[in-house]
Amino acid sequence: MTARYSGSCLCGAVSFEFDGEFERFFLCHCQRCRKGSGTAHAANLFLSPERFEWLAGADEVKAYRVPESRRVSCFCSICGSPVPTLNEEHGIVKVPAGCLDSPVPKRPDAHIFMASKADWDFDLADVPMLDELPD
Ligand SMILES: [Zn+2]
Ligand SMILES: [Zn+2]
């Protein structure tokens, strides 16, 4: 049975829905993903969707292609949040895990491009973990 997922951007202008099963889930530490996400790594799910549709805000979705590369990332032009990127040619969609409003049933498969990770990105499980802002 195919699961249905939905998600949205930070401001809520862009929302989407799709059916499918996640094939891959990578935490990518390459420099492009660090810059594109503004943090230690991107967290992207990949699938060949049986159905994908923008529910709202399709006109607000902008695509950025890194010059002289095949890397394309879509984002909401209002709030700047990453949103899914469809590669129609290869029938694959890259879904930033953080924009999903549905539970994600899959554990990440791997941290990738660890050779490019940020210099502060080590032993993060040892950093204090607080449920809210510190006092
Ligand atoms: Zn937005
Ligand atoms: Zn990357």
Side-chain angles (χ1 to χ4, degrees):
M1 196 182 109
T2 300
R4 173 167 295 189
Y5 300 95
S6 61
S8 55
C9 66
L10 178 60
C11 75
V14 176
S15 58
F16 57 88
E17 197 175 76
F18 58 89
D19 299 332
E21 294 300 333
F22 296 117
E23 292 159 17
R24 307 281 223 142
F25 187 4
F26 289 131
L27 308 178
C28 185
H29 297 249
C30 81
Q31 188 189 44
R32 287 169 174 169
C33 286
R34 287 191 286 111
K35 287 190 178 289
S37 66
T39 185
H41 59 77
N44 287 318
L45 293 143
F46 296 86
L47 77 158
S48 304
E50 293 182 15
R51 185 187 61 87
F52 181 96
E53 61 186 323
W54 300 108
L55 297 179
D59 293 347
E60 304 297 347
V61 176
K62 297 282 183 275
Y64 174 71
R65 177 184 291 271
V66 176
E68 292 168 31
S69 86
R70 291 186 306 177
R71 184 197 167 90
V72 180
S73 291
C74 290
F75 59 97
C76 168
S77 60
I78 298 171
C79 68
S81 307
V83 298
T85 301
L86 281 90
N87 184 326
E88 313 260 5
E89 189 183 336
H90 295 106
I92 197 131
V93 59
K94 172 177 78 176
V95 181
C99 69
L100 284 172
D101 295 317
S102 306
V104 177
K106 185 170 174 51
R107 285 270 293 167
D109 293 305
H111 290 271
I112 60 173
F113 284 93
M114 289 300 280
S116 307
K117 71 186 175 71
D119 56 6
W120 52 269
D121 182 2
F122 62 92
D123 296 343
L124 295 184
D126 297 340
V127 174
M129 296 190 187
L130 313 175
D131 285 338
E132 295 179 11
L133 272 177
D135 293 332

